[in-house]
Amino acid sequence: MNEKCYALYEFLVSQATSFTDEWMKYQLVKKGSDYSADAPPQVAQRIREQNSNYVRLVAKTLIHSEDETKKAIEEWTNKTAADRVQSNTSLSEVVRNSGVFRHVYWMYVQKFVEQTTLDVNVSDIFGWERKINFALDYVLETFTNRFMEIVTERLAAQASLIRELSAPVITLTNQIGLLPLIGDIDTNRAKSILESTLHQSVHAKISVLIMDLSGVVMVDTMVAQQLFQLVDSLRMVGVKTILTGIRPEVAQTSIQLGINFGSIQTETSLQKVVGKLVMKHM
């Protein structure tokens, strides 16, 4: 192992705490950021520990192979990215502090060169530049990728939850479910209702689904087609659909548009059909 590389490595590791103190001086007051200069003490302490570990992690690139460096960095960024997402720290704030970290890191490399008794030449410095900047760049690359993966996964989960909440299948008995639809239903929402309702009905193992339209003020041809498709899909998995609460204006519009609900069982009163079905399945 190169003696000068190892000496620089030991210097950086020994200076991890003071490095972090220096790095903290560059922090600004930024609401909601883990890096904020006025962050709560427990948050600031966690960030200090993570930053000191980051100093040691990057220093290891001086004595490790590229593959070893990559593996260590990936393990570190996976954990740290999850922590930053959890704390709602923005990616732009992470990137800003990455630049600050790089600046301070090279300040400490300069300190080493000025203090060491070893014969450090230009080739040594450029060799360290390749190793250290490779590590810093790889940290930013893997951190950003993992950060965005976690954010995307969260958004997908939230979107799925919103879709289910906008079309909740309420279990009345172990065989009967109720789907109360409220508000305007456009083509996109109708598609979401189809996917969510089918999944929820199968998961709940119901045999009858009451679809209440009393809160729906308008149904166009495209939406009606989606509803028919939902009824057909439910029928294929063994769930019978009953429509209730079709408003007069919806019925009138449906006739004008040539929409025929004749193939689907309809009832005027949600209360009556629920009462009949519950008694029947008791």
Side-chain angles (χ1 to χ4, degrees):
M1 181 184 298
N2 185 300
E3 179 188 9
K4 286 177 275 189
C5 283
Y6 194 79
L8 176 57
Y9 161 75
E10 288 192 318
F11 173 80
L12 292 170
V13 168
S14 69
Q15 296 295 311
T17 301
S18 62
F19 179 108
T20 297
D21 291 338
E22 183 71 30
W23 175 77
M24 291 294 288
K25 294 178 183 178
Y26 290 87
Q27 302 314 306
L28 308 173
V29 174
K30 196 170 180 73
K31 186 177 179 180
S33 171
D34 273 2
Y35 300 112
S36 181
D38 64 349
Q42 66 274 20
V43 173
Q45 182 58 34
R46 187 179 80 252
I47 294 301
R48 282 180 174 276
E49 290 173 358
Q50 289 179 342
N51 193 77
S52 294
N53 288 334
Y54 186 17
V55 173
R56 300 180 188 101
L57 174 72
V58 174
K60 286 180 180 178
T61 192
L62 295 163
I63 60 174
H64 283 176
S65 68
E66 185 174 302
D67 287 342
E68 289 173 324
T69 297
K70 283 185 174 182
K71 183 179 178 181
I73 285 173
E74 288 166 6
E75 291 174 354
W76 188 84
T77 52
N78 280 340
K79 182 179 182 304
T80 309
D83 189 64
R84 292 295 175 275
V85 173
Q86 182 66 29
S87 66
N88 294 319
T89 300
S90 69
L91 187 57
S92 61
E93 187 67 5
V94 172
V95 172
R96 187 192 83 83
N97 274 283
S98 176
V100 172
F101 186 92
R102 189 187 298 262
H103 170 71
V104 177
Y105 216 91
W106 281 104
M107 283 174 52
Y108 272 77
V109 172
Q110 182 180 352
K111 284 185 180 182
F112 171 78
V113 172
E114 291 171 349
Q115 296 175 15
T116 186
T117 57
L118 296 171
D119 182 22
V120 176
N121 55 46
V122 174
S123 295
D124 294 321
I125 295 173
F126 276 100
W128 296 336
E129 184 276 332
R130 285 190 294 272
K131 286 178 173 289
I132 292 172
N133 281 343
F134 166 78
L136 295 173
D137 290 341
Y138 196 67
V139 166
L140 187 58
E141 176 188 341
T142 55
F143 181 96
T144 303
N145 289 342
R146 185 56 187 145
F147 187 97
M148 293 309 300
E149 283 176 2
I150 296 171
V151 170
T152 301
E153 289 167 3
R154 281 193 167 193
L155 290 175
Q158 290 171 356
S160 177
L161 178 60
I162 290 170
R163 286 196 298 271
E164 289 197 8
L165 292 175
S166 69
V169 173
I170 302 167
T171 304
L172 302 179
T173 71
N174 58 356
Q175 297 185 53
I176 304 170
L178 170 64
L179 174 63
L181 296 177
I182 300 172
D184 295 335
I185 303 178
D186 57 16
T187 304
N188 289 332
R189 187 183 173 204
K191 183 179 179 182
S192 295
I193 289 171
L194 188 157
E195 296 171 353
S196 174
T197 303
L198 188 60
H199 172 76
Q200 292 180 77
S201 298
V202 171
H203 181 73
K205 298 180 180 179
I206 59 175
S207 57
V208 179
L209 178 67
I210 304 168
M211 193 183 305
D212 182 54
L213 302 178
S214 58
V216 178
V217 296
M218 185 179 70
V219 174
D220 62 21
T221 305
M222 293 298 294
V223 171
Q225 288 176 350
Q226 292 282 357
L227 293 177
F228 286 141
Q229 187 177 347
L230 172 57
V231 172
D232 287 339
S233 299
L234 288 167
R235 185 183 297 118
M236 290 180 66
V237 296
V239 180
K240 177 184 177 181
T241 305
I242 300 173
L243 295 184
T244 66
I246 299 177
R247 298 160 66 102
E249 56 268 37
V250 172
Q252 186 176 8
T253 302
S254 299
I255 292 172
Q256 293 172 349
L257 293 173
I259 300 170
N260 183 10
F261 288 99
S263 62
I264 307 172
Q265 181 181 342
T266 60
E267 299 287 345
T268 57
S269 170
L270 173 61
Q271 289 80 6
K272 287 182 180 180
V273 72
V274 169
K276 290 179 182 177
L277 287 171
V278 170
M279 290 295 295
K280 181 180 177 181
H281 288 87
M282 285 183 65

